[in-house]
Amino acid sequence: MRTSINSGSGSENRQSGFYGQLRLKPIEPVTVVLGGRLTDFDSRSRTRAPSPTPTDWAPGAFADRKFSGYAGLIYDVTKNISVYGSYADIFTPNTAKDYTGKTLDPRVGGQQEVGIKGSWFDNRLNASVAAFRMDEINRPLSDPNNPGFSIASGKIKTRGWEAEVSGQLLHNIQVMGGYTLLTRQQAIAASASLGQPISWWYPKHQYKLWATYTVDQGPLSGLKIGGGVLHQTATRAGSGASLLRVQPAYTVVNAMASYDISKHVTAKFSIENIFDTKYMTRLGGTNTYN
């Protein structure tokens, strides 16, 4: 069975940027970090053959030297512990298009983060805890009325926190573990979506643990073996009436071994997903991204 193609379209996106960062230490325990980026962005689109009425290029999303700022403050409580806070503007040009072929306006908003970091025993033990929040608009979402196209979101709130510990338990045993909690809600949207979680491409809970052991004596000196576990909770594509599919929680186990043949040559062998867990790295629409 042959299907005739009766429409066509074209689009162009161009962007460039310049960024920099400045670190200042006005007094001994305090570090100030300032930064920014200037972005130029231009998009245009058109219809073309075999569309019955090809059009000229029409301008789309546009930015001329858009400035996105960043500021951070680090305070050394002791020689081992530091606390910090930061704010960054969000400006990300979109490449997604609506059903008319127009590129969506850039994603804009702000991100804040506060945390504490510590390092002990000559950096053999490191730990950190951070909380973050992000508010943005124009995140591309699947258009429920036009599959394969996108619509711009209303205001989306993202909240979460993460903790990580890494260290050297013994002189030849290294361990790293972490946990991340991520929540996301749509604050301003159509009444059917108001306050509902969206974009659950990323899991709400994620756990990771990795450890390595290095043989430092005997004929196997230079051999390193390790293993790790990654577990994440369920993810889904779409939400509410547009829910497309759900992927249950899953766990992946990995392992590795390496051997220092000489100070210049190392051989390494790794196995990912030892137990052959079946999962999708990301959920998408009915025919893409999965």
Side-chain angles (χ1 to χ4, degrees):
M1 177 179 175
R2 298 183 62 183
T3 301
S4 61
I5 299 175
N6 55 21
S7 65
S9 64
S11 63
E12 288 185 357
N13 297 309
R14 298 180 180 180
Q15 62 177 310
S16 61
F18 174 81
Y19 64 91
Q21 186 185 87
L22 175 67
R23 298 177 71 90
L24 304 172
K25 205 171 184 67
I27 56 177
E28 182 56 35
V30 176
T31 301
V32 177
V33 184
L34 301 173
R37 175 184 173 93
L38 288 174
T39 301
D40 290 302
F41 178 78
D42 182 38
S43 69
R44 61 179 187 168
S45 59
R46 66 177 179 178
T47 59
R48 60 185 182 185
S51 293
T53 55
T55 62
D56 293 330
W57 289 106
F62 172 81
D64 182 21
R65 290 187 289 277
K66 170 67 177 179
F67 178 75
S68 304
Y70 169 86
L73 181 68
I74 305 169
Y75 180 78
D76 298 328
V77 181
T78 69
K79 67 176 183 179
N80 303 111
I81 299 175
S82 299
V83 295
Y84 69 92
S86 67
Y87 172 84
D89 289 326
I90 296 173
F91 180 79
T92 306
N94 275 317
T95 57
K97 299 175 177 58
D98 64 16
Y99 75 97
T100 68
K102 179 184 176 182
T103 302
L104 299 183
D105 289 336
R107 289 167 52 187
V108 294
Q111 178 172 326
Q112 304 165 51
E113 182 175 333
V114 294
I116 181 170
K117 294 183 178 181
S119 178
W120 300 269
F121 309 113
D122 294 327
N123 296 322
R124 291 194 299 271
L125 175 62
N126 301 279
S128 64
V129 178
F132 55 88
R133 58 177 290 171
M134 180 168 62
D135 298 295
E136 61 177 323
I137 61 173
N138 295 337
R139 175 180 285 268
L141 303 177
S142 297
D143 186 343
N145 299 318
N146 298 279
F149 295 97
S150 299
I151 56 174
S153 71
K155 184 176 181 181
I156 294 179
K157 296 180 178 181
T158 303
R159 306 288 184 267
W161 66 274
E162 58 186 356
E164 185 173 293
V165 177
S166 62
Q168 188 174 341
L169 295 184
L170 297 174
H171 72 280
N172 55 355
I173 298 179
Q174 296 278 348
V175 176
M176 188 278 288
Y179 167 75
T180 301
L181 169 68
L182 180 67
T183 62
R184 183 174 292 154
Q185 287 185 315
Q186 184 159 359
I188 303 174
S191 58
S193 302
L194 183 61
Q196 296 298 310
I198 63 166
S199 299
W200 283 119
W201 293 325
Y202 304 102
K204 183 176 183 179
H205 303 279
Q206 187 176 70
Y207 310 84
K208 56 185 177 182
L209 178 64
W210 183 266
T212 61
Y213 172 79
T214 303
V215 179
D216 57 359
Q217 297 181 22
L220 295 179
S221 179
L223 174 66
K224 179 187 289 187
I225 57 175
V229 177
L230 171 68
H231 175 81
Q232 68 175 47
T233 52
T235 55
R236 64 175 182 255
S239 63
S242 301
L243 182 63
L244 299 176
R245 60 176 56 82
V246 176
Q247 175 165 261
Y250 66 86
T251 301
V252 175
V253 180
N254 305 319
M256 60 78 66
S258 67
Y259 181 72
D260 295 331
I261 299 174
S262 70
K263 65 179 182 179
H264 301 295
V265 180
T266 298
K268 184 176 180 180
F269 176 75
S270 62
I271 304 176
E272 297 185 359
N273 198 0
I274 294 175
F275 300 107
D276 198 24
T277 301
K278 300 296 190 298
Y279 66 95
M280 297 182 185
T281 55
R282 170 171 166 174
L283 298 178
T286 53
N287 59 1
T288 57
Y289 295 123
N290 299 292

